[in-house]
Amino acid sequence: MEITLAETTDLDGILTVYAAARRFMKEAGNPDQWGESYPPREVVEADLTAGRLYLCREGETILGVFCYFEGEEPVYEAMTEGAWQNDSPYGVIHRIAVSEAGRGRGVARFCFDYAFAHCRNVKIDTHRDNLPMQRALTKAGFAYCGVVYYPERGGERLAYQKSE
């Protein structure tokens, strides 16, 4: 497996991975986090244009996709029911998804490790009903920190952080 920066020519494959992830979340008891259409094409295209969309690949096969950037995430400024581990600069992972071909192969962990290798302080959030992601985060060494809110996307998310 390798991590590469996504390119415009990858767009159809990326959208296919996100569609598969939405189906998986629904089957796993988490139908609300991404609903029927998140992330929309415009958000994926914006991540591509910003140079912050990454792929986990094996040859030409896309095993996973995620948004990663270093900098401030405004939603992370207000937290309830806890606190971040520190106030140091951090990397952010959003919209991580694993393809059907990548399931059970450690793809999410590989993506987490990539982000942590680039920034030794990484933050991520997930829906309360996304138990597979919560398990993956805990297994990868992320600690639960508290709750953050996305008013435009249905409310609360559980926030995690991994730091040296």
Side-chain angles (χ1 to χ4, degrees):
M1 285 188 281
E2 67 175 332
I3 303 292
T4 63
L5 195 57
E7 298 179 11
T8 306
T9 55
D10 298 312
L11 185 57
D12 288 340
I14 292 165
L15 295 173
T16 298
V17 171
Y18 280 131
R22 287 190 297 272
R23 285 190 303 275
F24 176 78
M25 283 194 278
K26 185 181 261 186
E27 292 165 6
N30 179 24
D32 299 322
Q33 182 173 356
W34 284 0
E36 299 296 324
S37 61
Y38 190 84
R41 183 183 190 103
E42 309 83 67
V43 168
V44 176
E45 289 174 340
D47 286 343
L48 270 167
T49 301
R52 60 187 197 178
L53 193 63
Y54 293 84
L55 303 177
C56 177
R57 295 181 180 269
E58 194 166 68
E60 295 300 310
T61 304
I62 299 173
L63 300 177
V65 59
F66 63 104
C67 171
Y68 172 76
F69 64 92
E70 294 174 20
E72 300 287 320
E73 169 53 74
V75 170
Y76 290 173
E77 292 176 16
M79 177 182 284
T80 62
E81 302 176 32
W84 293 113
Q85 296 173 343
N86 60 56
D87 293 326
S88 300
Y90 58 91
V92 177
I93 300 172
H94 281 314
R95 295 179 283 285
I96 185 166
V98 176
S99 72
E100 291 176 0
R103 283 198 203 123
R105 299 187 54 201
V107 172
R109 175 66 179 262
F110 195 77
C111 297
F112 298 152
D113 290 348
Y114 175 87
F116 194 69
H118 285 81
C119 182
R120 306 304 276 183
N121 191 29
V122 177
K123 297 179 180 181
I124 186 172
D125 63 84
T126 192
H127 195 278
R128 187 173 296 278
D129 292 338
N130 195 339
L131 300 179
M133 181 57 69
Q134 292 173 46
R135 284 190 295 272
L137 289 166
T138 300
K139 189 175 178 181
F142 283 80
Y144 170 75
C145 294
V147 178
V148 295
Y149 292 89
Y150 287 89
E152 75 283 357
R153 283 200 0 240
E156 73 173 26
R157 297 293 186 265
L158 305 181
Y160 290 79
Q161 183 175 12
K162 183 175 180 177
S163 182
E164 281 189 320

